[in-house]
Amino acid sequence: MVGPRKAASAAGLALLAACAALVIVQHLGAGRVALESEEMSPMVSPMGMYQAQHPVFGRCQSTHNMDAFVTLVNRKCGDLGELQTCSDACVSALKTSVAAQGCCFETIMQGYEHMQPMAAQSWRRWQGVASGKCGV
């Protein structure tokens, strides 16, 4: 015959084991749900997240190709850091490009400052050189 203490102890252990099993099942189930939802959603890049929070940046980024701007500057101006002054072709190209970009250049720079601080710093230095030597 089992005494009341042993019976209560056995019931307590059974209850504890059942609770532990429930916690484990819930944890595994929650983990599975989290993994399934992570697999279902594509990875969002830092730029994608920034664009979602700043839609003007996304519009500017899609309409003003900075790589094309760099190519234009390299072709028309050369290395502004090595030159004493800017050629007329360089000044004309910069003015045309700046007019086309409008406020998008600053909007894109703000995005770079948030996502790629080193790139933003390089652009700001270049902007200072272009302003000082070319008056643009």
Side-chain angles (χ1 to χ4, degrees), residues 66-95:
M66 293 302 281
D67 291 334
F69 179 66
V70 169
T71 301
L72 172 75
V73 169
N74 285 335
R75 192 175 72 242
K76 296 288 184 173
C77 301
D79 185 356
L80 292 178
E82 294 180 358
L83 303 173
Q84 295 299 318
T85 60
C86 294
S87 68
D88 290 339
C90 174
V91 171
S92 176
L94 288 176
K95 284 184 178 179

mmCIF file of all heavy atoms in Angstrom, residues 66-95:
data_model
loop_
_atom_site.group_PDB
_atom_site.id
_atom_site.type_symbol
_atom_site.label_atom_id
_atom_site.label_comp_id
_atom_site.label_asym_id
_atom_site.label_seq_id
_atom_site.Cartn_x
_atom_site.Cartn_y
_atom_site.Cartn_z
ATOM 1 N N MET A 66 23.279 56.774 -59.637
ATOM 2 C CA MET A 66 24.547 57.343 -59.177
ATOM 3 C C MET A 66 25.739 56.752 -59.928
ATOM 4 O O MET A 66 26.742 57.433 -60.122
ATOM 5 C CB MET A 66 24.701 57.148 -57.664
ATOM 6 C CG MET A 66 23.690 57.942 -56.845
ATOM 7 S SD MET A 66 23.740 59.718 -57.137
ATOM 8 C CE MET A 66 25.160 60.172 -56.153
ATOM 9 N N ASP A 67 25.645 55.494 -60.360
ATOM 10 C CA ASP A 67 26.743 54.901 -61.141
ATOM 11 C C ASP A 67 26.918 55.644 -62.467
ATOM 12 O O ASP A 67 28.045 55.891 -62.901
ATOM 13 C CB ASP A 67 26.487 53.413 -61.390
ATOM 14 C CG ASP A 67 26.593 52.588 -60.122
ATOM 15 O OD1 ASP A 67 27.318 53.006 -59.192
ATOM 16 O OD2 ASP A 67 25.944 51.527 -60.058
ATOM 17 N N ALA A 68 25.806 55.999 -63.106
ATOM 18 C CA ALA A 68 25.880 56.758 -64.359
ATOM 19 C C ALA A 68 26.463 58.148 -64.106
ATOM 20 O O ALA A 68 27.225 58.666 -64.932
ATOM 21 C CB ALA A 68 24.492 56.863 -64.990
ATOM 22 N N PHE A 69 26.123 58.735 -62.962
ATOM 23 C CA PHE A 69 26.670 60.046 -62.605
ATOM 24 C C PHE A 69 28.183 59.955 -62.432
ATOM 25 O O PHE A 69 28.930 60.814 -62.914
ATOM 26 C CB PHE A 69 25.992 60.557 -61.327
ATOM 27 C CG PHE A 69 26.497 61.885 -60.861
ATOM 28 C CD1 PHE A 69 26.297 63.036 -61.609
ATOM 29 C CD2 PHE A 69 27.175 62.002 -59.651
ATOM 30 C CE1 PHE A 69 26.756 64.277 -61.174
ATOM 31 C CE2 PHE A 69 27.628 63.230 -59.202
ATOM 32 C CZ PHE A 69 27.426 64.369 -59.971
ATOM 33 N N VAL A 70 28.648 58.916 -61.760
ATOM 34 C CA VAL A 70 30.093 58.719 -61.570
ATOM 35 C C VAL A 70 30.783 58.561 -62.925
ATOM 36 O O VAL A 70 31.841 59.152 -63.169
ATOM 37 C CB VAL A 70 30.358 57.498 -60.662
ATOM 38 C CG1 VAL A 70 31.827 57.101 -60.675
ATOM 39 C CG2 VAL A 70 29.891 57.775 -59.248
ATOM 40 N N THR A 71 30.182 57.780 -63.809
ATOM 41 C CA THR A 71 30.754 57.579 -65.143
ATOM 42 C C THR A 71 30.836 58.901 -65.899
ATOM 43 O O THR A 71 31.851 59.217 -66.534
ATOM 44 C CB THR A 71 29.912 56.561 -65.939
ATOM 45 O OG1 THR A 71 29.899 55.328 -65.221
ATOM 46 C CG2 THR A 71 30.462 56.339 -67.327
ATOM 47 N N LEU A 72 29.771 59.709 -65.817
ATOM 48 C CA LEU A 72 29.755 61.023 -66.468
ATOM 49 C C LEU A 72 30.860 61.921 -65.921
ATOM 50 O O LEU A 72 31.599 62.551 -66.685
ATOM 51 C CB LEU A 72 28.392 61.690 -66.262
ATOM 52 C CG LEU A 72 28.292 63.139 -66.731
ATOM 53 C CD1 LEU A 72 28.208 63.198 -68.255
ATOM 54 C CD2 LEU A 72 27.095 63.818 -66.095
ATOM 55 N N VAL A 73 30.989 61.965 -64.605
ATOM 56 C CA VAL A 73 32.015 62.817 -63.980
ATOM 57 C C VAL A 73 33.407 62.353 -64.389
ATOM 58 O O VAL A 73 34.265 63.170 -64.753
ATOM 59 C CB VAL A 73 31.860 62.828 -62.443
ATOM 60 C CG1 VAL A 73 33.063 63.475 -61.770
ATOM 61 C CG2 VAL A 73 30.575 63.540 -62.045
ATOM 62 N N ASN A 74 33.640 61.050 -64.361
ATOM 63 C CA ASN A 74 34.959 60.539 -64.752
ATOM 64 C C ASN A 74 35.263 60.858 -66.214
ATOM 65 O O ASN A 74 36.394 61.209 -66.552
ATOM 66 C CB ASN A 74 35.043 59.032 -64.511
ATOM 67 C CG ASN A 74 35.195 58.690 -63.056
ATOM 68 O OD1 ASN A 74 35.679 59.489 -62.263
ATOM 69 N ND2 ASN A 74 34.767 57.497 -62.683
ATOM 70 N N ARG A 75 34.260 60.741 -67.085
ATOM 71 C CA ARG A 75 34.469 60.986 -68.513
ATOM 72 C C ARG A 75 34.661 62.477 -68.813
ATOM 73 O O ARG A 75 35.544 62.850 -69.567
ATOM 74 C CB ARG A 75 33.287 60.414 -69.304
ATOM 75 C CG ARG A 75 33.538 60.356 -70.793
ATOM 76 C CD ARG A 75 32.412 59.689 -71.572
ATOM 77 N NE ARG A 75 31.246 60.587 -71.611
ATOM 78 C CZ ARG A 75 30.053 60.303 -71.084
ATOM 79 N NH1 ARG A 75 29.852 59.153 -70.496
ATOM 80 N NH2 ARG A 75 29.059 61.171 -71.162
ATOM 81 N N LYS A 76 33.847 63.335 -68.200
ATOM 82 C CA LYS A 76 33.883 64.771 -68.520
ATOM 83 C C LYS A 76 34.883 65.561 -67.678
ATOM 84 O O LYS A 76 35.396 66.575 -68.119
ATOM 85 C CB LYS A 76 32.492 65.394 -68.332
ATOM 86 C CG LYS A 76 31.448 64.864 -69.262
ATOM 87 C CD LYS A 76 31.680 65.362 -70.672
ATOM 88 C CE LYS A 76 30.574 64.895 -71.596
ATOM 89 N NZ LYS A 76 30.661 65.471 -72.913
ATOM 90 N N CYS A 77 35.123 65.098 -66.441
ATOM 91 C CA CYS A 77 35.933 65.897 -65.513
ATOM 92 C C CYS A 77 37.288 65.282 -65.193
ATOM 93 O O CYS A 77 38.221 66.000 -64.836
ATOM 94 C CB CYS A 77 35.173 66.104 -64.203
ATOM 95 S SG CYS A 77 33.579 66.935 -64.422
ATOM 96 N N GLY A 78 37.393 63.995 -65.253
ATOM 97 C CA GLY A 78 38.623 63.346 -64.814
ATOM 98 C C GLY A 78 38.684 63.334 -63.294
ATOM 99 O O GLY A 78 37.668 63.411 -62.615
ATOM 100 N N ASP A 79 39.879 63.270 -62.754
ATOM 101 C CA ASP A 79 40.069 63.247 -61.300
ATOM 102 C C ASP A 79 40.156 64.680 -60.797
ATOM 103 O O ASP A 79 41.193 65.337 -60.922
ATOM 104 C CB ASP A 79 41.332 62.468 -60.948
ATOM 105 C CG ASP A 79 41.517 62.307 -59.456
ATOM 106 O OD1 ASP A 79 40.709 62.867 -58.680
ATOM 107 O OD2 ASP A 79 42.460 61.610 -59.047
ATOM 108 N N LEU A 80 39.074 65.177 -60.232
ATOM 109 C CA LEU A 80 39.037 66.567 -59.762
ATOM 110 C C LEU A 80 40.075 66.840 -58.682
ATOM 111 O O LEU A 80 40.520 67.974 -58.523
ATOM 112 C CB LEU A 80 37.641 66.916 -59.240
ATOM 113 C CG LEU A 80 36.530 66.992 -60.275
ATOM 114 C CD1 LEU A 80 35.202 67.300 -59.608
ATOM 115 C CD2 LEU A 80 36.852 68.027 -61.331
ATOM 116 N N GLY A 81 40.474 65.815 -57.950
ATOM 117 C CA GLY A 81 41.465 65.993 -56.903
ATOM 118 C C GLY A 81 42.821 66.392 -57.442
ATOM 119 O O GLY A 81 43.602 67.062 -56.772
ATOM 120 N N GLU A 82 43.131 65.993 -58.673
ATOM 121 C CA GLU A 82 44.434 66.286 -59.270
ATOM 122 C C GLU A 82 44.438 67.560 -60.103
ATOM 123 O O GLU A 82 45.492 68.063 -60.457
ATOM 124 C CB GLU A 82 44.871 65.109 -60.147
ATOM 125 C CG GLU A 82 45.136 63.839 -59.364
ATOM 126 C CD GLU A 82 45.562 62.683 -60.258
ATOM 127 O OE1 GLU A 82 45.621 62.857 -61.490
ATOM 128 O OE2 GLU A 82 45.818 61.603 -59.711
ATOM 129 N N LEU A 83 43.267 68.079 -60.447
ATOM 130 C CA LEU A 83 43.179 69.241 -61.324
ATOM 131 C C LEU A 83 43.145 70.540 -60.528
ATOM 132 O O LEU A 83 42.649 70.583 -59.412
ATOM 133 C CB LEU A 83 41.915 69.150 -62.196
ATOM 134 C CG LEU A 83 41.778 67.905 -63.068
ATOM 135 C CD1 LEU A 83 40.415 67.880 -63.735
ATOM 136 C CD2 LEU A 83 42.888 67.878 -64.113
ATOM 137 N N GLN A 84 43.675 71.600 -61.146
ATOM 138 C CA GLN A 84 43.619 72.913 -60.513
ATOM 139 C C GLN A 84 42.264 73.579 -60.750
ATOM 140 O O GLN A 84 41.738 74.259 -59.878
ATOM 141 C CB GLN A 84 44.735 73.816 -61.061
ATOM 142 C CG GLN A 84 46.130 73.331 -60.707
ATOM 143 C CD GLN A 84 46.358 73.294 -59.201
ATOM 144 O OE1 GLN A 84 45.969 74.200 -58.483
ATOM 145 N NE2 GLN A 84 46.982 72.230 -58.720
ATOM 146 N N THR A 85 41.745 73.405 -61.952
ATOM 147 C CA THR A 85 40.446 73.983 -62.318
ATOM 148 C C THR A 85 39.661 72.953 -63.125
ATOM 149 O O THR A 85 40.219 71.951 -63.585
ATOM 150 C CB THR A 85 40.614 75.260 -63.173
ATOM 151 O OG1 THR A 85 41.310 74.927 -64.372
ATOM 152 C CG2 THR A 85 41.353 76.342 -62.418
ATOM 153 N N CYS A 86 38.390 73.249 -63.339
ATOM 154 C CA CYS A 86 37.528 72.364 -64.121
ATOM 155 C C CYS A 86 37.423 72.881 -65.551
ATOM 156 O O CYS A 86 37.401 74.091 -65.781
ATOM 157 C CB CYS A 86 36.121 72.329 -63.528
ATOM 158 S SG CYS A 86 36.056 71.591 -61.909
ATOM 159 N N SER A 87 37.326 71.966 -66.485
ATOM 160 C CA SER A 87 37.119 72.355 -67.885
ATOM 161 C C SER A 87 35.678 72.832 -68.069
ATOM 162 O O SER A 87 34.804 72.550 -67.244
ATOM 163 C CB SER A 87 37.402 71.169 -68.812
ATOM 164 O OG SER A 87 36.396 70.177 -68.615
ATOM 165 N N ASP A 88 35.444 73.531 -69.153
ATOM 166 C CA ASP A 88 34.087 73.993 -69.453
ATOM 167 C C ASP A 88 33.141 72.804 -69.639
ATOM 168 O O ASP A 88 31.981 72.864 -69.215
ATOM 169 C CB ASP A 88 34.081 74.872 -70.715
ATOM 170 C CG ASP A 88 34.758 76.224 -70.480
ATOM 171 O OD1 ASP A 88 34.863 76.635 -69.301
ATOM 172 O OD2 ASP A 88 35.179 76.853 -71.467
ATOM 173 N N ALA A 89 33.636 71.736 -70.273
ATOM 174 C CA ALA A 89 32.806 70.545 -70.484
ATOM 175 C C ALA A 89 32.412 69.922 -69.147
ATOM 176 O O ALA A 89 31.269 69.468 -68.960
ATOM 177 C CB ALA A 89 33.549 69.535 -71.345
ATOM 178 N N CYS A 90 33.327 69.933 -68.205
ATOM 179 C CA CYS A 90 33.052 69.379 -66.872
ATOM 180 C C CYS A 90 32.001 70.219 -66.154
ATOM 181 O O CYS A 90 31.033 69.687 -65.621
ATOM 182 C CB CYS A 90 34.346 69.331 -66.056
ATOM 183 S SG CYS A 90 34.110 68.818 -64.341
ATOM 184 N N VAL A 91 32.183 71.531 -66.152
ATOM 185 C CA VAL A 91 31.238 72.427 -65.477
ATOM 186 C C VAL A 91 29.852 72.279 -66.085
ATOM 187 O O VAL A 91 28.847 72.184 -65.369
ATOM 188 C CB VAL A 91 31.726 73.896 -65.534
ATOM 189 C CG1 VAL A 91 30.655 74.849 -65.033
ATOM 190 C CG2 VAL A 91 33.007 74.049 -64.740
ATOM 191 N N SER A 92 29.788 72.229 -67.406
ATOM 192 C CA SER A 92 28.502 72.087 -68.096
ATOM 193 C C SER A 92 27.824 70.760 -67.724
ATOM 194 O O SER A 92 26.619 70.734 -67.444
ATOM 195 C CB SER A 92 28.719 72.167 -69.610
ATOM 196 O OG SER A 92 27.514 71.936 -70.277
ATOM 197 N N ALA A 93 28.589 69.672 -67.723
ATOM 198 C CA ALA A 93 28.037 68.361 -67.374
ATOM 199 C C ALA A 93 27.548 68.330 -65.924
ATOM 200 O O ALA A 93 26.472 67.797 -65.633
ATOM 201 C CB ALA A 93 29.084 67.271 -67.603
ATOM 202 N N LEU A 94 28.322 68.918 -65.023
ATOM 203 C CA LEU A 94 27.918 68.951 -63.610
ATOM 204 C C LEU A 94 26.653 69.781 -63.414
ATOM 205 O O LEU A 94 25.733 69.371 -62.705
ATOM 206 C CB LEU A 94 29.054 69.492 -62.742
ATOM 207 C CG LEU A 94 30.248 68.577 -62.537
ATOM 208 C CD1 LEU A 94 31.336 69.295 -61.739
ATOM 209 C CD2 LEU A 94 29.845 67.293 -61.855
ATOM 210 N N LYS A 95 26.596 70.951 -64.057
ATOM 211 C CA LYS A 95 25.410 71.798 -63.906
ATOM 212 C C LYS A 95 24.166 71.114 -64.458
ATOM 213 O O LYS A 95 23.102 71.173 -63.847
ATOM 214 C CB LYS A 95 25.634 73.150 -64.593
ATOM 215 C CG LYS A 95 26.539 74.070 -63.812
ATOM 216 C CD LYS A 95 26.667 75.425 -64.480
ATOM 217 C CE LYS A 95 27.548 76.344 -63.627
ATOM 218 N NZ LYS A 95 27.710 77.665 -64.249
#
